[in-house]
Amino acid sequence: MATDPRRLGFLLAVHRGGGILAAADLLHVTPSAVSQQIQRLEAEEGVAVLDRGPRGVTLTPAGRVLAETAERIETELVEARKALAALGDEVTGRVAVGSFQTAIRAVVAPVAGRLAETAPGIELDVQEREPTEALRLLRAGELDVVLLERDYEADSPAPRGTREIVLLDEPWRLVVPASMPTPTRLDDVRDVVWLGPEPGTAAARALRRLSRGLGGTVRTRHNYYDFDVALSLVAAGLGVAMLPALAVEGGASDEVPDGVTVVGLPGLGSRRLVARHRATRHEPRPVVSAVLDEMVAAAADIAFA
């Protein structure tokens, strides 16, 4: 009896989910439907594909062979959809995006996942780059889109031949050692020691702005570039810092170490995320415009506490 290849999808779901119930959730069917398809697969192949025990199910050697086959079929189908999209009117092509950690996590990664499902003809190449290097690669044509950060009061027009799209204005947050009384207003941190952000970053510009508002009294020690370094220094009690919400909220909140309190205060302002691309007679290409539209949509879905 010939094997119905559709049954392999049920086996693959069991393999990925780790059991019948999890496979049913993945496939949006009942557990009995999964069990029936597995039983028919075993009947067609004449082998047992699952070891059923008191703690659940595992794949037999034969089951692993068939699951690996199912994965290869799945990969071939994805490639086939890409090829079909290239033959039709769908937007296709490669888009190289240069970005930094928090923007990749909050905007670029969700877009990549969404495009894999909705537009398989678009190949997204994500590169974590420092801004100076990313802009050089944009000018050289090696990157199509660059995500940049700036303090909201330090906005500036894009250079000639480029255009910028504002994706997000996210609030700055104050991070302080948990041993310190929680500030309720900016005056409470007038005389504390601040961690010094890397010069030229949005955080450095924001701290200069805050210092002016406090009468130029902000004192800094140490220096950081990565936000996780700043959080570690705050946790050690070496100072306070001002970080963007994306670095300490949502999925990033799991990375806030013990000993750190995150505070939202009026007057801290916001960090602006923008996407810069080339703007010429022939650019952006339709595929780049499609990716930019997805970035705008992904940023609009972000909510802050």
Side-chain angles (χ1 to χ4, degrees):
M1 183 184 299
T3 298
D4 186 338
R6 291 174 295 181
R7 305 199 206 288
L8 295 178
F10 286 85
L11 179 64
L12 185 56
V14 173
H15 175 53
R16 289 174 171 169
I20 299 293
L21 293 177
D25 288 338
L26 289 173
L27 298 172
H28 304 291
V29 298
T30 64
S32 62
V34 176
S35 295
Q36 289 172 10
Q37 292 297 322
I38 295 298
Q39 290 169 4
R40 291 173 183 172
L41 176 62
E42 290 179 325
E44 290 168 354
E45 290 296 331
V47 295
V49 298
L50 296 179
D51 279 328
R52 298 167 175 83
R55 295 186 178 180
V57 298
T58 57
L59 269 62
T60 65
R64 287 194 293 271
V65 170
L66 291 173
E68 291 170 359
T69 300
E71 288 182 325
R72 289 195 296 271
I73 292 174
E74 184 180 66
T75 300
E76 290 295 330
L77 287 174
V78 169
E79 293 301 319
R81 284 197 296 270
K82 290 181 180 180
L84 289 173
L87 294 174
D89 296 329
E90 292 187 36
V91 175
T92 63
R94 176 181 176 274
V95 177
V97 177
S99 186
F100 48 93
Q101 184 186 51
T102 52
I104 289 175
R105 179 168 53 205
V107 177
V108 182
V111 166
R114 188 180 306 177
L115 290 175
E117 295 291 331
T118 63
I122 297 178
E123 180 186 353
L124 202 61
D125 177 16
V126 181
Q127 302 182 26
E128 184 180 13
R129 299 280 186 176
E130 293 186 0
T132 301
E133 176 68 3
L135 290 174
R136 184 188 70 78
L137 294 173
L138 180 70
R139 291 191 297 270
E142 296 181 38
L143 290 176
D144 299 295
V145 180
V146 170
L147 271 62
L148 302 169
E149 61 161 11
R150 55 175 60 103
D151 185 52
Y152 78 108
E153 284 194 353
D155 224 352
S156 58
R160 184 177 180 180
T162 65
R163 185 175 300 138
E164 290 183 351
I165 299 173
V166 176
L167 298 178
L168 185 69
D169 284 317
E170 57 170 324
W172 291 103
R173 300 300 193 208
L174 189 66
V175 290
V176 303
S179 58
M180 171 182 169
T182 301
T184 59
R185 56 180 186 167
L186 290 180
D187 276 349
D188 294 339
V189 291
R190 180 186 298 272
D191 299 321
V192 302
V193 174
W194 289 75
L195 302 179
E198 180 74 11
T201 61
R205 292 188 288 270
L207 187 57
R208 285 199 302 271
R209 170 177 52 79
L210 183 65
S211 180
R212 291 194 301 269
L214 293 175
T217 60
V218 167
R219 297 178 296 120
T220 62
R221 286 188 62 194
H222 312 292
N223 179 265
Y224 71 88
Y225 179 78
D226 292 329
F227 297 139
D228 57 347
V229 171
L231 288 168
S232 297
L233 294 175
V234 172
L238 298 180
V240 305
M242 190 162 56
L243 303 183
L246 289 180
V248 292
E249 293 183 5
S253 61
D254 295 336
E255 300 178 12
V256 176
D258 293 337
V260 172
T261 302
V262 179
V263 186
L265 289 180
L268 290 178
S270 59
R271 179 179 76 158
R272 174 163 292 177
L273 298 185
V274 301
R276 182 181 294 184
H277 63 88
R278 290 183 298 277
T280 66
R281 183 176 180 181
H282 303 291
E283 294 182 288
R285 294 173 292 133
V287 66
V288 175
S289 295
V291 170
L292 288 167
D293 289 344
E294 288 290 341
M295 287 184 176
V296 171
D301 290 338
I302 298 173
F304 300 105

